């Protein structure tokens, strides 16, 4: 409190905060020190010598208690205000410290209806491993993000989310240029079930999505949805995901959803002016999965090498007479270049079924 009261500021906002730390022109630090001194005197009641000598002669603790009641009468209405001011100052100091430690970060420009980032990175990832991507929600305001597991979809959702929150708070963010609109941020990510509330994982997802849609009806929002409706079958998941996307589109919601279902990406064909597909890719180099974590246009499709390996191992599964869902085979071999192999696969599948 003393440091803040003595500091000299150019900002009118901070000057007003300094004035709020005064009661009848008495600085808050003086009043707080007086309160601390009174409590220190009251604590001497545990000292038997002082208790007998002082209270036996002039009732020492009675007068200290009377002074405490007088302090309360004078300052109690301002005490909560001081606590709020100090809490706010500590928050601002944390943001200032964050900016000081990251001098290369940039402050976002505030706009009425534009959200875009250039070379955006996650501030919690090490700078050596951090991969930066650019994205624009201005025209195509809703993005459907696809990619394999571990390709970076969830991390990119978190990257956009944490940088939006930092920019809303007035902090610099890891970007070369950013434009943001002050929209409430709603997220459906990493939900869990609850035994105590008798709430399944699927119900938790549905309840959260209902909250998001309800809020979108009331006001413009920005949403980040990560693999929604994982707790149900593939058909219901696809239908429900498309339904949520179209519902949010009707409310002109900005945001992004990550999904593995390629059929969901067809939604952008109906709304090409306001929706876009983007993807993260995976490559096989020396029989190892390699991710570049670079955001690309259009939806994700399995590379030829991945399909070839999938066919190889799935064929072995069929020959061993193990179970393999037919829907999985259709997904793996729907590419035209694998029509011959697909026919061969179905042959083995039929042979397995005849056993």
């Amino acid at each position: 409190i003393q440091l803040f009261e003595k500091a000299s500021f150019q900002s009118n906002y901070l000057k007003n905060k300094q004035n709020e730390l005064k009661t009848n022109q008495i600085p808050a630090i003086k009043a707080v020190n007086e309160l601390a001194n009174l409590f220190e005197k009251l604590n001497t009641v545990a000292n038997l010598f002082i208790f007998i000598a002082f209270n036996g002669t002039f009732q020492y603790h009675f007068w200290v208690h009377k002074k405490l009641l007088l302090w309360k009468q004078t300052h109690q209405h301002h005490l909560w205000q001081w606590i709020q001011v100090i809490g706010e100052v500590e928050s601002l100091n944390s943001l200032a410290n964050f900016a000081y430690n990251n001098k290369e970060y940039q402050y976002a420009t505030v706009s009425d209806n534009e959200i875009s980032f250039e070379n955006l990175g996650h501030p919690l990832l090490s700078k050596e491993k951090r991969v930066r991507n650019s994205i624009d929600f201005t025209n195509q305001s809703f993005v459907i993000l696809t990619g394999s597991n571990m390709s970076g979809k969830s991390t990119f959702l978190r990257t956009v989310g944490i940088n939006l929150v930092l920019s809303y708070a007035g902090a610099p963010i890891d970007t070369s240029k950013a434009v943001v609109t002050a929209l409430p941020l709603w997220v459906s990510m990493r939900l869990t079930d609850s035994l105590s509330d008798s709430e399944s994982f699927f119900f938790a997802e549905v309840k959260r999505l209902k909250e998001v849609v309800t809020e979108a009806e009331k006001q413009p929002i920005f949403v980040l949805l990560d693999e929604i409706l994982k707790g149900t079958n593939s058909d219901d998941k696809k239908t429900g995901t498309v339904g949520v996307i179209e519902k949010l589109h009707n409310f002109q919601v900005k945001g992004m959803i990550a999904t593995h279902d390629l059929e969901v990406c067809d939604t952008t064909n109906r709304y090409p002016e306001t929706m876009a597909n983007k993807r993260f890719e995976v490559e096989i180099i020396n029989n190892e999965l390699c991710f570049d974590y670079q955001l690309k246009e259009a939806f994700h499709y399995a590379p030829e090498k991945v399909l070839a390996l999938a066919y190889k191992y799935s064929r072995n599964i069929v020959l061993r007479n193990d179970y393999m869902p037919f829907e999985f085979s259709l997904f793996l071999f729907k590419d035209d270049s694998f029509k011959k192999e697909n026919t061969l696969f179905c042959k083995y599948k039929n042979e397995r079924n005849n056993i």
Side-chain angles (χ1 to χ4, degrees):
I1 297 176
Q2 187 174 6
L3 289 174
F4 182 70
E5 284 183 337
K6 291 183 177 181
S8 178
F9 298 107
Q10 296 179 350
S11 169
N12 291 328
Y13 177 80
L14 293 177
K15 289 179 180 178
N16 292 333
K17 290 299 175 183
Q18 280 183 317
N19 292 330
E20 291 180 16
L21 290 178
K22 294 181 180 179
T23 304
N24 299 324
Q25 300 304 315
I26 299 176
I29 186 63
K30 183 177 180 180
V32 171
N33 287 337
E34 182 182 350
L35 178 64
N37 186 41
L38 290 173
F39 277 122
E40 187 177 348
K41 290 179 178 178
L42 282 176
N43 283 335
T44 59
V45 72
N47 188 311
L48 186 61
F49 173 78
I50 294 179
F51 181 81
I52 295 175
F54 283 33
N55 288 329
T57 54
F58 51 85
Q59 296 183 330
Y60 174 77
H61 290 105
F62 169 79
W63 291 106
V64 174
H65 181 258
K66 188 174 181 179
K67 285 187 176 182
L68 180 62
L69 294 179
L70 181 62
W71 187 99
K72 180 180 178 181
Q73 183 179 355
T74 306
H75 301 292
Q76 67 174 338
H77 300 295
H78 304 278
L79 183 60
W80 180 245
Q81 175 181 316
W82 297 342
I83 294 174
Q84 286 182 312
V85 170
I86 295 305
E88 191 167 346
V89 169
E90 289 183 350
S91 300
L92 294 173
N93 189 52
S94 296
L95 294 176
N97 187 51
F98 179 79
Y100 179 81
N101 291 329
N102 299 279
K103 294 182 174 63
E104 71 278 11
Y105 287 10
Q106 302 296 319
Y107 288 94
T109 303
V110 180
S111 171
D112 293 332
N113 193 35
E114 182 179 351
I115 297 180
S116 64
F117 302 98
E118 295 182 9
N119 302 315
L120 185 68
H122 198 301
L124 297 182
L125 296 177
S126 64
K127 295 181 180 180
E128 294 75 19
K129 297 181 179 180
R130 195 177 305 172
V131 178
R132 295 172 175 81
N133 288 288
S134 301
I135 192 166
D136 190 346
F137 297 96
T138 303
N139 295 320
Q140 293 176 312
S141 57
F142 199 88
V143 173
I144 300 178
L145 182 63
T146 54
S148 67
N149 288 320
M150 304 181 295
S151 61
K153 300 188 304 299
S154 298
T155 300
F156 187 63
L157 289 179
R158 293 184 175 94
T159 300
V160 173
I162 192 172
N163 282 291
L164 273 176
V165 172
L166 285 172
S167 62
Y168 291 166
I173 58 178
D174 184 17
T175 182
S176 58
K177 182 182 179 182
V179 181
V180 299
T181 301
L183 295 177
L185 177 61
W186 283 76
V187 177
S188 178
M189 193 179 299
R190 296 188 68 181
L191 298 174
T192 59
D193 57 2
S194 175
L195 288 175
S196 60
D197 296 333
S198 299
E199 187 173 285
S200 68
F201 176 76
F202 178 71
F203 183 74
E205 282 191 301
V206 172
K207 188 171 73 171
R208 181 58 175 173
L209 291 174
K210 182 178 182 297
E211 293 174 351
V212 172
V213 173
T214 301
E215 190 66 23
E217 291 178 337
K218 299 177 183 178
Q219 61 177 336
I221 62 174
F222 190 93
V223 301
L224 294 171
L225 309 176
D226 188 18
E227 277 294 309
I228 62 174
L229 302 177
K230 294 189 290 291
T232 186
N233 62 73
S234 57
D235 287 338
D236 290 345
K237 176 184 176 181
K238 179 197 70 176
T239 304
T241 301
V242 172
V244 170
I245 292 174
E246 292 190 336
K247 191 75 171 178
L248 295 176
H249 174 266
N250 293 337
F251 297 131
Q252 299 180 345
V253 170
K254 294 180 182 292
M256 183 162 46
I257 181 172
T259 181
H260 286 289
D261 198 330
L262 299 184
E263 294 184 24
V264 173
C265 300
D266 295 336
T267 311
T268 59
N269 296 332
R270 297 193 291 273
Y271 313 105
E273 295 182 355
T274 55
M275 288 190 186
N277 287 313
K278 296 189 182 294
R279 72 182 192 273
F280 286 106
E281 283 296 345
V282 56
E283 290 184 303
I284 294 182
I285 301 176
N286 297 326
N287 289 327
E288 294 288 339
L289 289 175
C290 297
F291 305 95
D292 60 9
Y293 305 114
Q294 292 291 338
L295 189 65
K296 300 177 177 65
E297 298 295 328
F299 60 85
H300 168 77
Y301 58 91
E304 215 170 90
K305 290 183 179 180
V306 176
L307 288 173
L309 283 175
Y311 169 71
K312 173 184 175 182
Y313 291 118
S314 61
R315 184 180 176 188
N316 291 336
I317 291 174
V318 174
L319 291 174
R320 291 199 309 269
N321 197 30
D322 292 336
Y323 173 73
M324 180 179 181
F326 183 62
E327 293 80 4
F328 180 61
S329 67
L330 291 180
F331 170 75
L332 289 177
F333 306 108
K334 67 180 182 178
D335 191 273
D336 291 340
S337 62
F338 283 84
K339 283 184 177 178
K340 181 178 179 181
E341 288 83 352
N342 188 20
T343 304
L344 183 63
F345 175 81
C346 290
K347 174 185 176 182
Y348 284 110
K349 181 179 185 296
N350 292 332
E351 290 178 357
R352 184 202 69 179
N353 293 336
N354 292 331
I355 296 176

